Amino acid sequence: MKLHKYIGGVLAIGLALGSASCSEDFLDENLETSYNTQYFDTPEGLEALTLSLYGNIRWHFGYEWAFGLTLYGADEFDVANDYTNETWNTYDNRFSPLHATTALGAANANCTAPGALWDQLYFGIASCNTILEKADAVFSDPERNRRAKAHAYFLRGYNEYRLAAQYGTYVIVTEPVSGVVRNFTRATQEEAWGQCISDLRNAYEHFSGENFTYGKGMTWTKATAAHFLAKALLFRASERNSAWNASYIDKDLEEAIKMCDYVIGARSLESDYSNLYANWTDIDCAIETSDEILMAATHNGDTSTAGRFGNRTYNYFNPQFSNFSGGWVKRGVWIGGMDFQRCRPTEYTYSVFDHKNDARMWKTFRTVYGANSIADASAGVALGDPGIIFILNTKDDHTYDNQTFGATSSNARSHSSFRDVNGRLAEWAADKRQTPTAGTLAGKKGADGQYVPNAWICYQNGKYVGNNLGVPGGTTYNTTGNNNNMFCGINKTDDGSRLAEKGDAHRDVTMARVGETYLVRAECYVRQHNYSKAMEDINVIRRRAQWKNGENRSYYVDGSQAFEKNSLYEKNKEMYINSNLNMNTYYLSNPDMDVTTAASDLQLKTFPANLPAEDEAVMQQLGVSGDYDRAINFILNERTRELLGEWQRWETLSRTGWLIKRAKAFNAQAALYIKEGKHELRPIPQSFIDGLLQENGDNLTSDQKAAWQNPGY
């Protein structure tokens, strides 16, 4: 398969298979790797190349760059006790155009290189260029021609979007390249966004409605193109481009709203937030074909979606639970996530939710792990009792002021010192082996004195104490000293279908959905100062987030449940049952709440005045005033509540001009080194710049290299 891939500063031709093999249902066929370039002059060959475009997006979730490029260095997550990609969060002197190898200070060899994304995106662009060059001549069937072009325009536009969002600019390449090319022109940011928007417009025009060409839930449609076109237009109209975008803003916002109108009219929201992530029950289960999902990196049990194209995202969001208290909770495939402790939520992330009324919080955070390895009759702990709990209380809660929380030491078996501390935690769910129904109150009062060997809390005496618990780490670049392995993680990637503890996940990774489209349109309205229309869209999202009448507020489930259909289930059934207790700490975290199944209310009554208390606290900490800035920051808060961990936070904050302020306010590890005018863009990889030549064949001069690089690097 003919592809063009950047190697350093060189654009070279190679023979490869694209990023993965695909068939029309993305499940069964493997394409052969022996095709020559003439194969793409046949309808079958060019169709195969079109299908292979879906493999290009799997790359984004196959390794540490999944979170390093998208979540680190912002406000929602910081580094726990593993420093693999720490430099992407701290912005210290290791964060540069050079790859931070171990020799240059990286913690290990897995640190993401600045050029990883750059190279891979051009890999996909090259395939798109081949399709667009050949389609008219190869396809006699107009529908097949249109379909191939729609996909090629979309992926090229999407990859250009990622390049522009991360690096600000890129090399515009719209035709196949023959031979080796080492001379390129750096596009202006205006040219870069113009090219991206043009391609996404072409994709929108070429797609035929919501025609799921290659299988519903797995393929891109007109709504997919419209969503990303709206995002690209919004990006061009946003603060990061304020030096040159004045003439575009009004028209871009109008067009973006029209694109959002199409998406919202063509596709629908899930009624229950759990159906987006928590209710993942098996490979290719129903929630992966949700009408809300606009784009996903598809994975399944087929070998074509495994290995170097596999889904590794289940590794990154859990605390180091297997190391707490000497191993009360043993990790394994029976728990949907690994405890690699990469992404630790910040205080902002916990506090920005309405802890009582927002169901998203309790459907996203895993707050209870069952004791599956150690029982201690003297302490009153049996296998299947809570072994680790996280109490997500609020700053004004003083219930636990006089108690001490944490985990026992790694080799401890005696934990009497924790008996008085954690022994008064009394509210637990119904029988862990039963799925509560609407009439079963899983949060009803339990027996007093339930002992839990590991317990974590957010606030005591009005102060955030979460960073002081767990096993601490250390780094010369973190002045807070608060790296640790104990925190409450999120469940959006959990996968109990894995066949080995560190095996590939088999669930899709959602990359775009209608829930975000509403927030994109709301932001467009804010930028038009139409706050009433913005509030309407925001309230649609918040209405879905409310507790519904009859919901069990202390019931919890996540993708671990897929283990029930795993071939390893019978052998490890007890480990699964003891680990996953189907409960959360809603009532422990809200100790003034009586047990209830009543509906809650999250609807805004005014906007942007008189915001909910959790949002007003953010405004105060940031020093935000004025309707426009309050409205933008409310939407940024709402994006956290709705889209937490969904692979786009850094670009969102960079786009809106709030990256530096919010990182300084909410991410202590980033605050020391992050700089305005520099870190809103990523460094252009030095490996690319060093490979460039002048038109006469000479190497670039130092000044020419500097002109290629982004400011400050």
Side-chain angles (χ1 to χ4, degrees), residues 345-617:
T346 61
E347 178 188 1
Y348 156 78
T349 301
Y350 297 124
S351 64
V352 78
F353 286 87
D354 180 330
H355 290 221
K356 293 179 179 178
N357 298 309
D358 196 330
R360 290 174 297 193
M361 182 173 207
W362 303 100
K363 294 174 180 180
T364 298
F365 289 97
R366 178 166 184 157
T367 61
V368 178
Y369 291 80
N372 62 22
S373 181
I374 298 173
D376 191 332
S378 65
V381 179
L383 293 176
D385 284 347
I388 303 169
I389 65 167
F390 301 97
I391 298 176
L392 305 182
N393 66 334
T394 55
K395 192 172 185 177
D396 59 354
D397 174 42
H398 295 279
T399 304
Y400 306 104
D401 283 357
N402 297 319
Q403 299 187 32
T404 303
F405 291 85
T408 59
S409 62
S410 60
N411 59 358
R413 291 295 182 271
S414 174
H415 40 264
S416 59
S417 62
F418 286 82
R419 189 180 309 254
D420 293 335
V421 183
N422 301 332
R424 303 279 75 85
L425 310 181
E427 301 195 27
W428 296 111
D431 192 317
K432 58 184 173 292
R433 293 166 181 80
Q434 299 177 9
T435 300
T437 64
T440 303
L441 295 182
K444 61 188 177 183
K445 301 288 184 180
D448 286 343
Q450 171 67 56
Y451 171 74
V452 183
N454 308 273
W456 179 95
I457 196 167
C458 282
Y459 290 96
Q460 288 183 304
N461 301 303
K463 295 182 179 180
Y464 184 68
V465 297
N467 287 347
N468 299 322
L469 305 177
V471 178
T475 168
T476 57
Y477 300 97
N478 174 19
T479 59
T480 68
N482 283 331
N483 293 62
N484 64 58
N485 66 344
M486 194 172 188
F487 58 88
C488 185
I490 67 172
N491 65 12
K492 290 184 175 180
T493 60
D494 285 358
D495 184 345
S497 75
R498 306 183 331 268
L499 296 175
E501 185 178 72
K502 298 181 182 179
D504 290 305
H506 300 115
R507 67 182 297 173
D508 294 352
V509 184
T510 298
M511 301 175 71
R513 55 186 179 84
V514 180
E516 185 195 8
T517 312
Y518 276 95
L519 296 178
V520 169
R521 190 169 71 176
E523 186 180 333
C524 291
Y525 285 136
V526 165
R527 292 176 181 277
Q528 294 179 329
H529 302 284
N530 190 341
Y531 298 116
S532 61
K533 291 291 288 184
M535 187 172 73
E536 289 178 13
D537 278 344
I538 292 165
N539 276 339
V540 170
I541 296 302
R542 289 175 69 85
R543 192 174 303 118
R544 197 249 304 267
Q546 297 167 176
W547 292 108
K548 307 303 186 293
N549 186 44
E551 273 198 281
N552 182 343
R553 297 193 185 190
S554 66
Y555 177 63
Y556 171 86
V557 71
D558 61 36
S560 300
Q561 66 187 304
F563 190 68
E564 294 179 11
K565 299 181 180 178
N566 194 313
S567 60
L568 303 173
Y569 176 72
E570 287 302 323
K571 182 178 180 180
N572 298 281
K573 181 177 181 179
E574 289 303 312
M575 292 295 288
Y576 168 76
I577 292 172
N578 291 335
S579 303
N580 302 286
L581 308 188
N582 297 129
M583 61 175 73
N584 64 41
T585 62
Y586 177 87
Y587 291 103
L588 283 173
S589 303
N590 297 291
D592 59 334
M593 283 287 295
D594 291 330
V595 175
T596 180
T597 57
S600 64
D601 183 8
L602 283 177
Q603 297 293 279
L604 298 179
K605 307 302 189 293
T606 61
F607 180 75
N610 302 315
L611 296 173
E614 56 272 13
D615 292 286
E616 292 291 358

